[in-house]
Amino acid sequence: QVQLVESGGGLVQTGGSLRLSCAASGRTFSSYTMGWFRQAPGKEREFVAWLSGGGGITYYTDSVKGRFTVSRDNAKKMMYLQMNSLNAEDTAVYYCAAARYITSASAASAASYNYWGQGTQVTVSS
């Protein structure tokens, strides 16, 4: 139903900013809740952020609150992750994901999502 492609990753210095994009091909994009996850080398995939189908409800992991902002443009079938004040701990491959009928109670679980992108590398240098 949905294909996802991330972009916008790259190399940035500590304190810098990046905006990640996730392009979706599904015709019912607005019906899907969306999430961002990341995976650092040697670590488990970690929940980053989630937002409802309409973009009105968001949820963030504690380590990114106040620094990251998730948003979506359903007309463009796009989701974004604005990342500010980046530090070395943010270095990871970032993935976007989509699911239907998900709530914040299950948003942090990767198993809740049905569709995944290929990931985009974010590297923060000191």
Side-chain angles (χ1 to χ4, degrees):
Q1 287 283 334
V2 177
Q3 290 181 304
L4 306 173
V5 180
E6 303 94 336
S7 63
L11 176 65
V12 64
Q13 294 184 348
T14 297
S17 298
L18 284 173
R19 188 181 75 163
L20 305 184
S21 299
C22 176
S25 63
R27 294 178 176 85
T28 57
F29 179 67
S30 63
S31 299
Y32 291 83
T33 61
M34 303 288 293
W36 285 99
F37 288 76
R38 65 187 182 186
Q39 188 165 18
K43 295 186 177 181
E44 298 291 321
R45 188 165 297 189
E46 176 191 21
F47 168 75
V48 177
W50 168 86
L51 80 169
S52 60
I57 305 173
T58 59
Y59 183 72
Y60 300 90
T61 191
D62 287 344
S63 63
V64 308
K65 287 181 179 178
R67 300 189 298 120
F68 290 11
T69 302
V70 64
S71 62
R72 65 193 295 164
D73 184 341
N74 287 338
K76 297 289 186 181
K77 298 182 179 179
M78 297 286 290
M79 180 178 66
Y80 308 97
L81 184 68
Q82 178 66 47
M83 306 186 295
N84 300 323
S85 301
L86 288 164
N87 56 61
E89 288 70 41
D90 297 314
T91 295
V93 176
Y94 284 71
Y95 300 88
C96 64
R100 299 196 70 175
Y101 310 118
I102 196 171
T103 65
S104 60
S106 58
S109 175
S112 299
Y113 298 84
N114 306 107
Y115 307 97
W116 293 84
Q118 297 81 21
T120 185
Q121 177 71 49
V122 172
T123 303
V124 185
S125 63
S126 301

